[in-house]
Amino acid sequence: MSDEQTWSAAEGGSTLGMGGAEGGTIVRDEQHPAGLRLTLEEDPARSFHALTCSVAGWLVHRRYFDDEAKAQAAWDEMKPALVELSTQLPASGAKGMDAATRAAGAKLGAFLARFP
């Protein structure tokens, strides 16, 4: 099964059309079994698009766009990068300042630098 097939509508698609955390309307919302989620909100009246990604136990990150095409392109670029990132993080989550957590911090930092 390809990675694209493992993503599915978050909460069975029930979040679509609802208000999002950034004040827009949720237009795309997908989750991945690795504990990943990617949500896109928009408010065309404000030329506002917010893309929120999360890695359970590790990261919640938001990006903002003034153009729908840029937001959609970012969505497409971030999905495989999130899956790749999740394979590099300990499944047990952060454990204080042990070596695995410090290494994960570097991976998270690189992801945030790639997707500011």
Side-chain angles (χ1 to χ4, degrees):
M1 178 178 349
S2 79
D3 179 62
E4 184 62 31
Q5 293 171 323
T6 59
W7 287 88
S8 62
E11 299 180 37
S14 66
T15 59
L16 298 178
M18 295 179 68
E22 297 302 302
T25 301
I26 297 173
V27 293
R28 290 180 82 177
D29 196 8
E30 295 183 16
Q31 61 191 12
H32 186 279
L36 310 173
R37 189 162 179 171
L38 197 54
T39 304
L40 178 61
E41 303 174 40
E42 70 177 14
D43 184 345
R46 296 185 291 157
S47 297
F48 171 82
H49 304 273
L51 184 56
T52 303
C53 67
S54 62
V55 180
W58 289 102
L59 172 75
V60 175
H61 177 54
R62 291 180 177 87
R63 299 177 69 196
Y64 303 93
F65 303 90
D66 62 358
D67 177 275
E68 180 181 3
K70 290 177 191 172
Q72 296 289 350
W75 173 285
D76 293 338
E77 186 179 15
M78 288 179 75
K79 273 177 84 169
L82 280 166
V83 173
E84 180 182 346
L85 175 63
S86 73
T87 66
Q88 300 171 8
L89 302 173
S92 60
K95 299 289 186 202
M97 286 306 299
D98 69 353
T101 298
R102 285 194 303 275
K107 305 270 188 220
L108 293 164
F111 180 85
L112 294 174
R114 180 176 172 193
F115 300 104

